[in-house]
Amino acid sequence: MKPYATLTPAERNGEYARLQGRFDALKAKGLSLNMARGKPGKQQLDLASDIFGLMQDPKDYVSGGMDVRNYGEMRGLPAARALFADILGCKPEQVFAGGNSSLQLMYDTIAKAYTHGMLHSPRPWCKEETVKWLCPAPGYDRHFKVTETFGFELVTIPMTESGPDMDAVEEAVKDPAVKGIWCVPKYSNPEGVIYSEDTIRRLAALSPAAPDFLIMWDNAYCVHEFEGDYVPFPDILSLCAEAGHPDLVFEFASTSKITLPGAGVACFACSEANMAHMETLLAPQVISFDKVNQQRHVLYLRDKAHTLELMKKHAAIMGPKFRCVADTLDREIAPLGIASWRRPKGGYFVSFNAMPGTAKRTLALCGEAGVTMTSAGATFPYGKDPQDSNIRIAPSLPPVEELEQAMEVFCVCLKMAALEKLGI
Amino acid sequence: MKPYATLTPAERNGEYARLQGRFDALKAKGLSLNMARGKPGKQQLDLASDIFGLMQDPKDYVSGGMDVRNYGEMRGLPAARALFADILGCKPEQVFAGGNSSLQLMYDTIAKAYTHGMLHSPRPWCKEETVKWLCPAPGYDRHFKVTETFGFELVTIPMTESGPDMDAVEEAVKDPAVKGIWCVPKYSNPEGVIYSEDTIRRLAALSPAAPDFLIMWDNAYCVHEFEGDYVPFPDILSLCAEAGHPDLVFEFASTSKITLPGAGVACFACSEANMAHMETLLAPQVISFDKVNQQRHVLYLRDKAHTLELMKKHAAIMGPKFRCVADTLDREIAPLGIASWRRPKGGYFVSFNAMPGTAKRTLALCGEAGVTMTSAGATFPYGKDPQDSNIRIAPSLPPVEELEQAMEVFCVCLKMAALEKLGI
């Protein structure tokens, strides 16, 4: 097949008619397939089944002299804090082990800044006239939504293959109303890029006009390679401290995509001064998070090395799914010159750029044929992609055979939308 | 022993000297005993050990067609919502099943009112000049702290033996700045009283000036009798609806003192209109709470009847502890006419009123002798008891033999403080 741009109108019409036939046939199958969210599939959930057999022995109820079943120890079980410190490369005393959701910890951090203010805030953010927030895009819709719900003005920062456009970031932070930035530094959502060392160093060295500027460092995919070996990653807390800004960053992580999505353990990591401040703000809210589940995870995951072994098993399930997506795109779409995409080696997404002006139409067609995708635009602030181009493909949930069907539908819809745009 | 008020100065001096001797002897033992918080003891934790043996069978991972291990279902597992509805006497669709902490759900409800506003709020509470909050006192320090941390003005409402002084409440809610009230309606913390039906009906029938007035109904001890049979309790949601104010109340409960304090399941219950509003506000914060732990609790507790059987086992442990406290006080303190207290049949506390002006001194002496109690004043807004009289005794944590020692210390210290006040 030739690139679509080189087709004559008659060739385009012929191609569209053929695709319409395939589309109708696919639609007639009554499919119901979902590539909308980064939701692990059943095979992955089953990897962690052994976790339910733990906590049978009364000696497991005690950790470091503490009965994990009772109230207390707001910062989390010391053994769980040590486990996360091992995985993230920071110090145990910088880690706060929480409940089952890192999103909730992120929301709560922003909420505390809004209601009470961060360590270096002149006033709570709810008392500021304007709060602006940097959103590298394409990015994670749930991040953007957290800052949107507090009425912040979302500022788009272009993503590059080495992370956020740092020239744009350095320029933007000169505005004292700019209070922070969202980052997914490893296998970014949805781009799948790993921030370069230069980008990370420039982030750590930022000197924002706002004294309480906050880097929200969501290290969601810190050990989530599905191709190749574990990629070591710098500890942002140390880098910020070295640059003289130890309080600039809050890091987040969880075991949602290591053990169980709905029943894992999440954490944040920050400077000890930030930790003391957060503890004061959290004291009225929390007696303690679920230390039984923290202990279950300590017993199950043990340490970073053992966790990485488990991640190899996830990779054996995830790898084929991502290869299915990439191979289908290479075969079906690459020759047509109507789109570009990345081929990540970890994380949960493939970021796909359709011909500008065709993302919404593509996904509307997918929906008609029973394939649910993340809404077009979701990867941009306010859900509005100015190019109407970016599509987040999330291949983790369906089994490979369903994924093949879903990708077939996707490719047909994408081609139809492109031809409609080119003129038929 | 005669009432202290009838002693001559010489008799008081003699008594004080004897007590000083006992105090020194107790202090020399180097005790370390804790009656500070409503923390269940180890025997109670062990009651629930079987819960760790559940979730072994893959069929338990599925509830109502939903894989409980994966993301999703923000309002909680339907089976868990049904369990709480059974216990509380409301409808499953009125229940939101959350994480391990009802305090966190309460804090989040107030926080959402502050940042975004409740269903009938003209504006978020952070935009109000003044927010006032009714605090029946003696009451629960953590409740007061939640409303204090958001800068609300705490208004003390006297507690009576049938609940909050409703004349005072009805008068107070005429002020549109008064946005809500804390209630622990069954075995109130620390008074141990059950709100009378008249009190409950008057609360449900309130017509506050604030359109977004909120009854925070913390039904923490809904099935927590330690003497006698389960006491049926009206469903506040129905009563508010009957009175024409279905959105007036949020109810809270948890299994913290049914299964495990640190690893139970908490819930809130409210009108369906409130639920829809909360869901909108919670959507940016939460994908879903820990449904695995919810499922574990559904399998373990089954229903209200089975839960009440478990509570009988708790009662068999708690009953003797409360009898130890009451019997010691009857024997040691009653004849002296220096204090009064209630004898509750459920809940976690004994509310004790020392001679005015002696609570702080009593607890300072207790501290010297190695017995930690809830700080004096904690049961009043801002931690300030205007009478310096109320002391919350929490006998659940120590085994009976330690409790006997702690009560011995407490009685000696109380007598010393009373004599000091009377003049020695």
Side-chain angles (χ1 to χ4, degrees):
Chain A
M1 179 53 71
K2 294 189 289 179
Y4 274 3
T6 66
L7 296 187
T8 64
E11 286 173 324
R12 288 205 296 271
N13 282 328
E15 171 76 352
Y16 193 80
R18 269 190 303 278
L19 290 166
Q20 181 79 59
R22 279 180 69 194
F23 179 78
D24 291 341
L26 287 165
K27 199 171 153 182
K29 287 189 183 179
L31 301 174
S32 174
L33 303 169
N34 196 313
M35 295 196 297
R37 311 276 350 159
K39 212 169 164 174
K42 182 174 182 306
Q43 259 191 297
Q44 286 179 275
L45 304 184
D46 288 340
L47 287 180
S49 294
D50 288 350
I51 204 168
F52 296 120
L54 299 172
M55 301 296 287
Q56 302 293 321
D57 185 341
K59 80 169 166 29
D60 294 335
Y61 305 160
V62 181
S63 173
M66 184 187 306
D67 194 317
V68 304
R69 300 169 298 174
N70 220 327
Y71 292 119
E73 202 67 10
M74 190 214 287
R75 293 182 184 194
L77 203 64
R81 299 170 68 194
L83 170 65
F84 278 117
D86 189 23
I87 291 173
L88 297 174
C90 63
K91 297 179 207 150
E93 55 271 28
Q94 295 173 321
V95 175
F96 184 106
N100 73 323
S101 164
S102 61
L103 181 69
Q104 191 151 20
L105 293 177
M106 290 185 250
Y107 179 100
D108 274 3
T109 304
I110 302 286
K112 295 281 181 285
Y114 187 80
T115 58
H116 291 80
M118 302 302 290
L119 183 58
H120 302 294
S121 295
R123 64 194 74 81
W125 295 0
C126 67
K127 305 296 182 197
E128 299 282 357
E129 206 157 309
T130 310
V131 174
K132 298 182 192 170
W133 197 273
L134 307 184
C135 298
Y140 181 28
D141 56 346
R142 290 193 194 272
H143 282 169
F144 301 162
K145 201 75 196 171
V146 169
T147 32
E148 188 185 343
T149 192
F150 288 104
F152 303 170
E153 191 181 306
L154 308 186
V155 179
T156 299
I157 296 288
M159 272 294 285
T160 76
E161 61 191 11
S162 57
D165 176 338
M166 283 310 298
D167 293 340
V169 171
E170 284 163 353
E171 186 58 34
V173 302
K174 292 177 185 167
D175 177 352
V178 171
K179 292 288 197 184
I181 184 171
W182 287 114
C183 295
V184 183
K186 194 173 172 185
Y187 305 120
S188 68
N189 177 352
E191 294 288 275
V193 306
I194 300 185
Y195 289 16
S196 69
E197 197 179 321
D198 179 60
T199 297
I200 295 173
R201 289 196 174 275
R202 284 173 75 181
L203 279 163
L206 280 180
S207 287
D212 50 356
F213 186 90
L214 187 55
I215 299 178
M216 292 288 281
W217 195 254
D218 183 4
N219 210 343
Y221 309 108
C222 51
V223 290
H224 299 63
E225 283 75 18
F226 53 72
E227 240 183 80
D229 287 330
Y230 167 70
V231 177
F233 199 68
D235 167 34
I236 188 71
L237 299 185
S238 308
L239 292 179
C240 285
E242 281 165 28
H245 311 120
D247 307 328
L248 188 63
V249 67
F250 272 69
E251 180 171 20
F252 300 85
S254 84
T255 70
S256 293
K257 292 172 175 101
I258 298 175
T259 56
L260 297 171
V265 178
C267 75
F268 68 79
C270 61
S271 73
E272 288 176 69
N274 274 335
M275 182 71 75
H277 180 69
M278 285 306 285
E279 189 164 50
T280 306
L281 296 184
L282 284 166
Q285 182 179 14
V286 181
I287 298 173
S288 51
F289 284 97
D290 184 344
K291 297 188 301 300
V292 166
N293 205 35
Q294 291 177 3
Q295 169 75 340
R296 209 177 263 126
H297 278 75
V298 167
L299 297 174
Y300 183 69
L301 294 175
R302 297 181 213 166
D303 55 23
K304 179 177 179 176
H306 192 250
T307 302
L308 289 175
E309 283 174 40
L310 174 59
M311 295 315 290
K312 286 281 181 196
K313 296 182 194 167
H314 282 285
I317 298 167
M318 291 281 278
K321 295 185 180 186
F322 277 83
R323 284 192 286 279
C324 165
V325 171
D327 292 350
T328 307
L329 294 175
D330 283 349
R331 190 178 63 240
E332 294 281 325
I333 306 299
L336 309 182
I338 56 170
S340 65
W341 57 92
R342 297 188 189 277
R343 192 164 181 144
K345 295 186 171 182
Y348 265 69
F349 304 102
V350 173
S351 184
F352 185 92
N353 292 305
M355 184 186 296
T358 65
K360 274 191 194 159
R361 174 62 180 156
T362 299
L363 299 195
L365 287 167
C366 283
E368 268 187 61
V371 174
T372 307
M373 311 272 296
T374 315
S375 328
T379 55
F380 281 79
Y382 307 109
K384 286 180 192 153
D385 175 0
Q387 300 283 318
D388 184 26
S389 163
N390 189 251
I391 293 171
R392 186 179 82 160
I393 302 175
S396 54
L397 186 63
V400 170
E401 54 282 13
E402 287 187 15
L403 196 59
E404 283 168 353
Q405 283 203 307
M407 285 305 295
E408 186 186 354
V409 171
F410 177 70
C411 291
V412 168
C413 297
L414 187 79
K415 291 177 195 175
M416 287 172 71
L419 289 169
E420 288 171 9
K421 190 78 186 173
L422 290 166
I424 45 165
Chain B
M1 178 53 71
K2 295 188 291 180
Y4 275 1
T6 66
L7 296 187
T8 65
E11 285 173 325
R12 288 204 297 269
N13 282 329
E15 170 76 351
Y16 193 79
R18 271 191 301 278
L19 289 166
Q20 181 79 59
R22 280 179 67 194
F23 180 76
D24 292 342
L26 286 166
K27 199 170 153 182
K29 288 190 182 178
L31 301 173
S32 175
L33 303 170
N34 195 312
M35 295 196 295
R37 311 274 353 158
K39 213 168 162 174
K42 182 175 182 304
Q43 260 191 295
Q44 287 179 273
L45 304 184
D46 288 341
L47 286 181
S49 293
D50 287 350
I51 204 169
F52 296 121
L54 299 172
M55 302 297 285
Q56 303 292 320
D57 183 341
K59 82 171 164 28
D60 295 335
Y61 305 160
V62 180
S63 174
M66 185 188 306
D67 194 317
V68 304
R69 299 169 299 174
N70 220 327
Y71 292 118
E73 202 67 9
M74 190 214 287
R75 294 182 184 194
L77 203 63
R81 300 170 68 195
L83 171 65
F84 279 116
D86 189 22
I87 291 173
L88 297 174
C90 63
K91 296 179 207 149
E93 55 271 30
Q94 294 173 321
V95 175
F96 184 106
N100 73 323
S101 164
S102 60
L103 181 69
Q104 192 152 18
L105 293 178
M106 288 183 251
Y107 179 100
D108 274 3
T109 304
I110 301 286
K112 294 281 181 286
Y114 187 80
T115 59
H116 291 79
M118 302 302 290
L119 183 57
H120 302 293
S121 295
R123 62 195 74 81
W125 294 0
C126 67
K127 305 295 183 199
E128 299 283 355
E129 207 159 307
T130 310
V131 174
K132 297 183 193 169
W133 197 273
L134 307 184
C135 298
Y140 181 29
D141 57 345
R142 289 193 194 270
H143 282 169
F144 300 163
K145 202 75 196 169
V146 169
T147 33
E148 188 185 345
T149 192
F150 288 104
F152 303 170
E153 191 181 306
L154 308 187
V155 178
T156 300
I157 296 288
M159 272 294 284
T160 75
E161 60 191 11
S162 58
D165 176 340
M166 283 310 299
D167 292 341
V169 171
E170 284 162 354
E171 186 56 35
V173 302
K174 292 176 185 167
D175 178 353
V178 171
K179 291 289 199 184
I181 183 171
W182 287 114
C183 295
V184 183
K186 194 173 172 185
Y187 305 120
S188 68
N189 176 351
E191 295 287 273
V193 305
I194 300 185
Y195 288 15
S196 69
E197 197 179 320
D198 179 61
T199 297
I200 295 172
R201 288 196 175 274
R202 283 172 74 180
L203 279 163
L206 280 179
S207 288
D212 51 355
F213 186 90
L214 187 55
I215 298 178
M216 292 288 281
W217 195 255
D218 183 4
N219 210 343
Y221 309 109
C222 51
V223 290
H224 298 62
E225 282 76 16
F226 53 74
E227 242 183 77
D229 287 332
Y230 167 69
V231 177
F233 199 69
D235 167 34
I236 188 71
L237 299 184
S238 307
L239 292 179
C240 286
E242 282 165 26
H245 312 120
D247 307 329
L248 188 64
V249 66
F250 272 69
E251 180 171 20
F252 300 86
S254 84
T255 70
S256 293
K257 292 170 174 103
I258 298 175
T259 57
L260 296 170
V265 177
C267 77
F268 67 78
C270 60
S271 73
E272 289 176 69
N274 274 333
M275 181 72 74
H277 181 67
M278 285 305 286
E279 189 164 51
T280 306
L281 297 183
L282 285 165
Q285 180 179 15
V286 182
I287 298 174
S288 50
F289 284 96
D290 185 343
K291 296 187 301 299
V292 166
N293 205 34
Q294 292 177 2
Q295 169 75 339
R296 210 178 262 124
H297 277 74
V298 167
L299 296 174
Y300 184 67
L301 294 175
R302 298 181 213 165
D303 55 24
K304 179 178 179 178
H306 192 251
T307 302
L308 289 176
E309 283 175 38
L310 174 59
M311 295 315 291
K312 287 278 179 197
K313 297 183 193 168
H314 283 284
I317 297 167
M318 290 281 277
K321 295 186 180 185
F322 277 82
R323 285 192 285 280
C324 166
V325 170
D327 292 349
T328 307
L329 294 175
D330 283 349
R331 188 178 65 241
E332 295 280 326
I333 305 300
L336 309 181
I338 56 170
S340 64
W341 57 92
R342 296 187 190 276
R343 193 165 181 145
K345 296 187 170 182
Y348 264 69
F349 305 103
V350 173
S351 184
F352 185 93
N353 291 304
M355 183 185 297
T358 65
K360 274 191 194 157
R361 174 62 179 157
T362 299
L363 299 194
L365 287 166
C366 282
E368 268 188 60
V371 174
T372 306
M373 312 272 295
T374 314
S375 327
T379 54
F380 282 79
Y382 306 111
K384 286 179 192 152
D385 175 0
Q387 300 283 319
D388 184 26
S389 164
N390 188 251
I391 294 171
R392 187 180 80 161
I393 303 176
S396 55
L397 186 63
V400 170
E401 54 281 12
E402 288 188 16
L403 196 59
E404 282 167 354
Q405 284 202 306
M407 284 306 295
E408 185 185 355
V409 171
F410 177 70
C411 290
V412 167
C413 298
L414 187 79
K415 292 177 196 176
M416 289 173 71
L419 289 168
E420 288 172 9
K421 190 77 186 172
L422 290 166
I424 43 164

